[in-house]
Amino acid sequence: MTRIIVLANQKGGVGKTTTAVNLSAALAIAEKKTLLVDIDPQANSSSSLSVRLEENDPCIYDVLVAGMPAKQAILETEFNSLFLLPSHIKTVGAEVELVGFDEREHVLAAALEPLREEYDYILIDCPPSLGLMTLNGLTAADELLIPIQAEYFALEGLTQLLKTVRLVQRRLNPRLQMAGIVMTMYDKRLKLAKQVLAEVREFFPKLLFKTVIRRNVRLAEAPSYGKPVMYFAVSSPGASDYLALAEELLVREVNK
């Protein structure tokens, strides 16, 4: 059964796209046919997989605004079992153009529904905001995965996001569940990072993944080479962390 997982956090710089790209790649390595859907106009997920589109190339904008079947915009990446529905800077206009649509929060859900039988996992990378594009992601998904950085304001941002999630569950997508919370950019040398991790564990003991994504130079470098970290530096902490996160996600699937 296909799992559609949206990765969202209204705060920027929390490792959301890094997690979307590398978790997708790790699931593909586990022989799960995986589709990464980039709905962020910055298109960082797309460029992290060596995809840079020209103005007229099909992308998520054409799917959402022009009604193009999603299948026509999907690209096969150079990495086994990993596929991409890419974004482009022109997607920035979708936020405004969708406002006039009927069922505007459900456009992405309708576009992805025909793909459910084709993939084991569909991961959606959202913009760092709680705007209409992110609402589309939350409405299309079965589960929400929240990456948070080990920093002072992490819990404050998380609280606001969870309020939005409860509204979405009540009004737009009652099937939306929590896949979990993953701590990113963790540096065990910092007292603050340890405190934030302890607080999140205290408040969300069942939601927090045991796997912690450590701060790692190779992980930061990989996007500039257009590769997931396990294809760029397989022996790095970043690679082992995301492979462990994928394994934990797969175990949670079995235990559902």
Side-chain angles (χ1 to χ4, degrees):
M1 181 178 177
T2 302
R3 292 173 73 181
I4 301 181
I5 302 175
V6 61
L7 291 90
N9 193 322
Q10 76 272 24
K11 285 174 61 64
V14 299
K16 177 181 55 60
T17 294
T18 299
T19 299
V21 169
N22 290 293
L23 180 57
S24 295
L27 289 167
I29 286 172
E31 299 184 343
K32 299 294 183 180
K33 189 178 179 183
T34 303
L35 172 66
L36 176 57
V37 180
D38 188 358
I39 65 171
D40 186 348
Q42 296 178 82
N44 289 333
S45 279
S46 301
S47 61
S48 294
L49 295 175
S50 297
V51 174
R52 290 176 175 82
L53 302 181
E54 300 296 331
E55 180 73 25
N56 294 322
D57 290 338
C59 70
I60 190 64
Y61 173 87
D62 302 287
V63 173
L64 295 176
V65 176
M68 174 184 288
K71 195 170 184 178
Q72 293 183 20
I74 292 172
L75 301 175
E76 186 173 353
T77 73
E78 61 185 276
F79 313 105
N80 288 340
S81 298
L82 181 57
F83 298 80
L84 174 70
L85 179 45
S87 187
H88 183 273
I89 187 61
K90 67 183 179 183
T91 306
V92 73
E95 188 96 30
V96 174
E97 293 180 63
L98 287 174
V99 169
F101 281 43
D102 293 333
E103 298 287 313
R104 60 191 178 210
E105 298 93 352
H106 296 269
V107 177
L108 181 62
L112 295 184
E113 192 62 33
L115 303 177
R116 276 190 178 271
E117 301 303 316
E118 295 194 32
Y119 298 93
D120 299 306
Y121 281 84
I122 298 175
L123 273 63
I124 305 170
D125 183 25
C126 294
S129 70
L130 292 178
L132 187 52
M133 294 295 282
T134 296
L135 283 178
N136 262 270
L138 292 170
T139 304
D142 306 312
E143 304 170 54
L144 167 64
L145 192 155
I146 305 175
I148 63 170
Q149 189 177 356
E151 63 170 24
Y152 182 72
F153 292 111
L155 282 174
E156 184 178 297
L158 183 57
T159 301
Q160 180 58 45
L161 179 57
L162 291 175
K163 286 181 181 177
T164 300
V165 169
R166 285 192 288 272
L167 283 172
V168 170
Q169 287 170 325
R170 287 202 301 269
R171 300 180 182 179
L172 298 171
N173 183 10
R175 76 177 185 280
L176 182 65
Q177 299 178 350
M178 286 294 299
I181 299 167
V182 59
M183 183 69 65
T184 64
M185 304 182 194
Y186 181 75
D187 188 340
K188 66 180 181 180
R189 299 170 297 179
L190 301 180
K191 183 177 179 181
L192 176 60
K194 293 179 180 178
Q195 290 175 340
V196 172
L197 180 58
E199 285 185 14
V200 176
R201 276 194 180 131
E202 179 184 351
F203 285 102
F204 305 100
K206 294 182 179 179
L207 290 180
L208 185 66
F209 282 93
K210 293 178 182 177
T211 302
V212 173
I213 309 301
R214 291 166 286 179
R215 191 177 289 276
N216 175 237
V217 173
R218 291 297 192 188
L219 191 56
E221 291 175 341
S224 65
Y225 290 85
K227 294 181 178 182
V229 68
M230 53 283 299
Y231 288 95
F232 173 66
V234 68
S235 60
S236 67
S240 60
D241 289 347
Y242 276 109
L243 289 168
L245 181 63
E247 184 178 356
E248 194 174 347
L249 188 67
L250 291 168
V251 168
R252 289 192 180 196
E253 176 183 27
V254 171
N255 293 334
K256 272 183 176 273

